[in-house]
Every structure is written in C-alpha cells, then in structure tokens.
Amino acid sequence: MGKYIVFDGMDGSGKGTQLRLLEKDFSHAAVFTREPGGTPLAEDIRKIVRDSPLARKSTALSNFLLFWAAREELQQNFVTPMLRSGEHVLSDRGDSSTFAYQICGEEHEELLDLFVSMRKLVFDEDAGRRAPDLYIIFDLPSGVARARVMQDSCREKTHFDARDIGYYERVRNGFRRFSERHPVIFIDAMQTPEEMHRSLVKILATEMLETNLPLQFDLA
Ligand code: TYD
C-alpha cells in the first residue's frame, strides 16, 4: 500500500508554490490530487463551493456536506484504488480543511460530531479505505496570511479570501486543534521557499521510502 499524505494550511502560506515544485520532483514517485476536486464530479462540486453565489447563501450544513460529497467521490474513485495499487497519493488539502474552515473558521461547533461520523464513513477501514497517514500543514501568523492573500494580484480571489483577520486566526487555531488528534507535521511558512522545499523533500523521502518505492533523492 502507498502512503496517503495531505498538504494543508492557510491561504497565503505558499502551499501552492511548494506543491508545484514537489510535483516536478516526485512525479515519478507519487500521484497528485486536490480537494475539493480530483475526479470529474468532485471538480464540478469544487466549482459550486468556490464560485456559486447560491452555495454561499446556503446553510453551513449544506456547505459542509458538499465538501464531504466531493471527498467521498475522490476516495472511491481515485485515492483508494491508487493506494491499493501501491501508489503514494499526495493531496492538496483534505478533511483538515473542513475542520479548520467550516467548523473553526466559520464557527460551527455543532458540526463536530458529524465531522467525526463522516470521517468514519468516508475513511472506513472495513471498506478498504484509509484516512491520511500524515498531514503536512503550513503555518504562519494570520495577519501575514491575510496580507499576502490580499496583496497577491495574480490570485483570483474567492469568498474564502476576503474575510476579516478574526476568521484567519480561527482557521489557524483550527489546524492546531486538528493536530491534537491527527498525525500532523507543521511547516513554518515564514521560512524562505528554498528552506520549506528542503524540509518537504526530506519529510516526503522519509515517509515514502518506508514502502521501498524507488526514489531518486540524496537525503544527506
Ligand atoms: P483555492 O483557491 O484553490 O485554495 P488554495 O489554492 O489556497 O488551496 O480554493 C480552495 C478553498 O476551499 C480554500 O480557500 C479552502 C477551502 N476549503 C474549505 O473551506 N473546506 C474544505 O474542506 C476544503 C478542502 C477547502
């Protein structure tokens, strides 16, 4: 079985740039995907949750379930078959985002029990599924994250971006809270891109070498 590793963190953390670099380095050693998305139906759901004004006006529960519907689709049709065939799966975001954004950022603690139930169903080991083996979460002060997002003229802003500082702070604390119960390594996103890249290559090589797949990295 391959390893299932999720990359997550606040917008503005440089996660996108790092993932693009890793895709080049590890294209021979792992398959890449993203959430919400990664299958045709999940990509359709992505358009709805990111861009639809109707989704924005819907209830917190309905938004939460849309993210889980996309995740279920991705597990069934991509992640599980890939892991079974021995591939490592590296995902841009995962259920850690639902916890940090929908429950903590948007302040919907009432969804917590449902979050635990959805995890059991969607990552059900009895059904041959698996929860991520590791979450690599990019961490940085919320003020810096927000300022970077707002200053990034290339970035197509979504409704997730244009929120107040309190929201960014709650999301950051949400990721920390998530790490109390799940296997998380935090990456300090105040480091230079080169430093972050070096740490990430080291972590991935160590994680993925365990399964004896060929890797062309010098770990020294
Ligand atoms: P995107 O602009 O692609 O974010 P990024 O490039 O920073 O990953 O859009 C994804 C947005 O969706 C991001 O702001 C976080 C949000 N999101 C949730 O709110 N809940 C979730 O469960 C997931 C997977 C993402």
Side-chain angles (χ1 to χ4, degrees):
M1 283 278 250
K3 283 276 168 87
Y4 179 18
I5 300 174
V6 166
F7 295 83
D8 217 325
M10 276 190 288
D11 311 85
S13 64
K15 170 173 67 65
T17 308
Q18 292 299 325
L19 276 167
R20 278 190 290 281
L21 291 173
L22 292 176
E23 271 194 75
K24 277 193 210 136
D25 291 341
F26 288 86
S27 58
H28 60 285
V31 290
F32 287 76
T33 189
R34 67 174 179 183
E35 283 199 29
T39 73
L41 177 56
E43 287 290 327
D44 280 354
I45 298 174
R46 178 185 180 86
K47 286 190 204 113
I48 295 171
V49 289
R50 281 187 85 222
D51 307 326
S52 162
L54 295 175
R56 225 162 300 166
K57 280 189 236 143
S58 81
T59 65
L61 176 60
S62 116
N63 253 301
F64 174 91
L65 291 173
L66 281 171
F67 282 111
W68 277 109
R71 187 162 302 128
E72 161 66 13
E73 169 67 19
L74 181 69
Q75 294 304 313
Q76 176 66 19
N77 294 313
F78 184 80
V79 176
T80 306
M82 284 296 173
L83 292 175
R84 274 201 197 134
S85 67
E87 297 277 0
H88 299 297
V89 177
L90 305 185
S91 177
D92 184 354
R93 297 198 184 275
D95 62 304
S96 35
S97 272
T98 309
F99 185 84
Y101 286 88
Q102 278 65 51
I103 296 183
C104 302
E106 316 254 348
E107 300 183 285
H108 286 290
E109 276 307 304
E110 76 280 8
L111 297 175
L112 193 55
D113 288 347
L114 189 55
F115 180 84
V116 174
S117 303
M118 293 307 287
R119 272 193 118 245
K120 283 198 187 117
L121 277 173
V122 171
F123 301 139
D124 182 6
E125 286 187 13
D126 294 338
R129 308 262 191 107
R130 216 160 90 227
D133 298 293
L134 177 65
Y135 297 82
I136 299 177
I137 298 184
F138 293 67
D139 179 59
L140 81 172
S142 34
V144 180
R146 187 171 189 279
R148 283 192 192 169
V149 167
M150 300 320 279
Q151 275 160 18
D152 183 354
S153 54
C154 303
R155 187 183 171 89
E156 181 202 338
K157 306 273 187 305
T158 66
H159 60 104
F160 295 104
D161 296 333
R163 304 293 291 262
D164 62 31
I165 185 75
Y167 174 79
Y168 277 76
E169 189 60 27
R170 290 195 298 276
V171 171
R172 184 188 196 197
N173 288 333
F175 282 121
R176 290 194 179 148
R177 217 175 120 194
F178 185 83
S179 76
E180 290 163 13
R181 285 169 189 265
H182 305 96
V184 171
I185 294 178
F186 284 104
I187 294 284
D188 176 5
M190 295 300 283
Q191 297 178 95
T192 65
E194 293 75 22
E195 285 168 333
M196 281 200 266
H197 183 62
R198 264 198 301 278
S199 312
L200 289 167
V201 167
K202 231 178 204 167
I203 293 168
L204 288 187
T206 310
E207 284 294 317
M208 301 192 329
L209 270 175
E210 262 184 34
T211 57
N212 298 324
L213 281 189
L215 267 182
Q216 298 159 0
F217 287 99
D218 176 6
L219 279 177

